[in-house]
Amino acid sequence: PPLAGASPGALNPFDRRLKRKQKNWAALQAEPAKCDYLREEVGGRIADRVFDITRTFPLALDVGSGRGYIAQHLTKETVEKLIQVDIAENALKNAIESEIPTIKVVADEEFLPFKEDTFDLVVSSLRYNVISQPCPVCVCVLQIHQVLKPDGVFIGAMFGGDTLYELRCSLQLAELEREGGFSPHVSPFTAVADLGHLLSRAGFNTLTVDTDEIQVNYPGLFEVMEDLQGKYILCMGESNCSWNRKPLLHRETMLAAAAIYQEMYGNSNGSVPATFQIYYMIGWKYHESQAKPAQRGSATVSFGDLAKIEGLLKRGKK
């Protein structure tokens, strides 16, 4: 199917064709292992969550797999067969070897080419940060719910709303001062309050959402920007692809931003931090065998009785 967001408009804030070019370019960079340590770290943490589920998954799907950052941490005792999907064919060609039998499919993550009730497990690492549809029920999550079998589980991770807040704030303040206004230079991220609602509206239940932060220190803003272009952002293919993106930053603005960054967020040793906030989400597709909440009003103990427990314990000691 055609790439979503192929033309600008009110309901398409991102350029999906540019996103594909960015990811293909990133996958061809030399020594990608030096650029992927953040994605590999998050992939390992997603794999840990898969291991926490005491079952074997006959067929799993990795949405936006990239070079296989999750697959390298999984074992064939946990996942018997894995299908890797990515919008960038170059990323799949340079995939990291895994002990799990894999099938690679080039497809847009927003248009999954699979039948309903196909997979026992769906995982996704840092791929659903740029989502075109701002509707209450995200099309991407709906499609994941569709391709899952009943009692299947979705485990994903995405950048949180506070990611790179130091850099974004410094650039905005510098642009306001030097140019009288600012435009986005990093793609916007999702707020944690939206994730639970998003998964619930898509049909998932037994939801779990937690957040974590990974902080990396740099000598200064210019080193942050260089690392983002060469490592996190471009090698992960996550450069800003908003339709209203600004093509460049003026030298005076960059110097002002560097000074603001150091003044507001600098460490005592002269370095500056860059924070990556990660949201992890787990949701299950409904099946009648799953545990169900008790009917409303069926409780036999009131929360008010909890206040009496301390008194009862003191009596027992006496």
Side-chain angles (χ1 to χ4, degrees):
L3 291 175
S7 60
L11 296 181
N12 286 311
F14 301 111
D15 186 346
R16 294 293 292 173
R17 293 189 184 278
L18 176 61
K19 178 56 56 182
R20 182 176 185 176
K21 291 180 181 178
Q22 289 172 349
K23 291 181 179 179
N24 269 318
W25 181 91
L28 294 178
Q29 298 310 295
E31 300 181 322
K34 293 184 178 180
C35 306
D36 290 341
Y37 52 86
L38 179 63
R39 189 173 286 282
E40 290 181 358
E41 175 65 24
V42 176
R45 297 185 185 189
I46 291 180
D48 288 341
R49 287 163 169 78
V50 175
F51 294 141
D52 288 340
I53 302 173
T54 55
R55 68 166 67 174
T56 299
F57 300 98
L59 183 61
L61 172 67
D62 186 353
V63 180
S65 61
R67 297 177 55 246
Y69 307 102
I70 301 176
Q72 64 176 323
H73 298 286
L74 297 174
T75 63
K76 57 185 178 182
E77 288 78 21
T78 304
V79 176
E80 295 179 352
K81 187 175 182 179
L82 178 67
I83 294 181
Q84 297 175 313
V85 173
D86 200 277
I87 193 175
E89 58 271 18
N90 291 335
L92 295 175
K93 290 178 182 178
N94 297 325
I96 304 169
E97 292 187 5
S98 169
E99 66 177 67
I100 304 173
T102 60
I103 298 175
K104 299 174 177 60
V105 178
V106 178
D108 191 339
E109 296 95 330
E110 295 189 13
F111 293 91
L112 296 178
F114 304 106
K115 296 180 180 179
E116 294 185 19
D117 304 337
T118 300
F119 299 98
D120 305 280
L121 166 69
V122 176
V123 294
S124 179
S125 176
L126 305 180
R127 272 310 188 216
Y128 284 124
N129 308 299
V130 178
I131 300 175
S132 297
Q133 293 81 4
C135 55
V137 183
C138 177
V139 172
C140 306
V141 181
L142 274 174
Q143 290 191 61
I144 289 176
H145 184 269
Q146 282 185 332
V147 301
L148 272 174
K149 292 179 179 178
D151 201 33
V153 60
F154 167 54
I155 304 177
M158 62 191 306
F159 285 120
D162 288 339
T163 295
L164 298 175
Y165 71 88
E166 305 99 337
L167 174 63
R168 288 186 290 166
C169 183
S170 300
L171 289 173
Q172 288 175 7
L173 290 175
E175 279 192 292
L176 283 171
E177 177 191 359
R178 297 303 173 97
E179 302 181 27
F182 67 88
S183 62
H185 295 281
V186 179
S187 294
F189 302 106
T190 304
V192 67
D194 298 330
L195 282 184
H197 180 66
L198 178 68
L199 293 171
S200 178
R201 290 289 301 274
F204 289 99
N205 58 13
T206 317
L207 305 177
T208 302
V209 177
D210 63 286
T211 181
D212 195 5
E213 286 189 355
I214 300 175
Q215 191 173 88
V216 184
N217 293 319
Y218 297 90
L221 178 138
F222 293 102
E223 287 77 11
V224 175
M225 298 287 286
E226 181 181 1
D227 210 32
L228 291 176
Q229 290 177 354
K231 294 185 179 181
Y232 300 118
I233 299 302
L234 290 183
C235 280
M236 296 194 315
E238 296 301 337
S239 293
N240 183 22
C241 60
S242 301
W243 288 106
N244 62 341
R245 61 189 178 275
K246 194 173 182 178
L248 56 84
L249 282 168
H250 295 98
R251 174 182 171 82
E252 294 77 11
T253 303
M254 289 294 296
L255 292 173
I260 293 172
Y261 204 140
Q262 184 65 53
E263 180 65 25
M264 293 183 63
Y265 305 106
N267 298 316
S268 58
N269 62 358
S271 64
V272 295
T275 300
F276 297 88
Q277 185 180 39
I278 313 296
Y279 296 154
Y280 298 93
M281 47 193 163
I282 302 176
W284 294 79
K285 189 169 182 177
Y286 174 78
H287 188 267
E288 58 183 9
S289 65
Q290 294 173 349
K292 301 178 179 62
Q295 291 185 355
R296 189 178 182 87
S298 62
T300 58
V301 179
S302 170
F303 278 111
D305 296 334
L306 296 176
K308 303 176 184 179
I309 292 180
E310 186 176 354
L312 294 174
L313 292 174
K314 290 180 178 179
R315 289 184 190 177
K317 290 180 180 180
K318 290 181 181 180

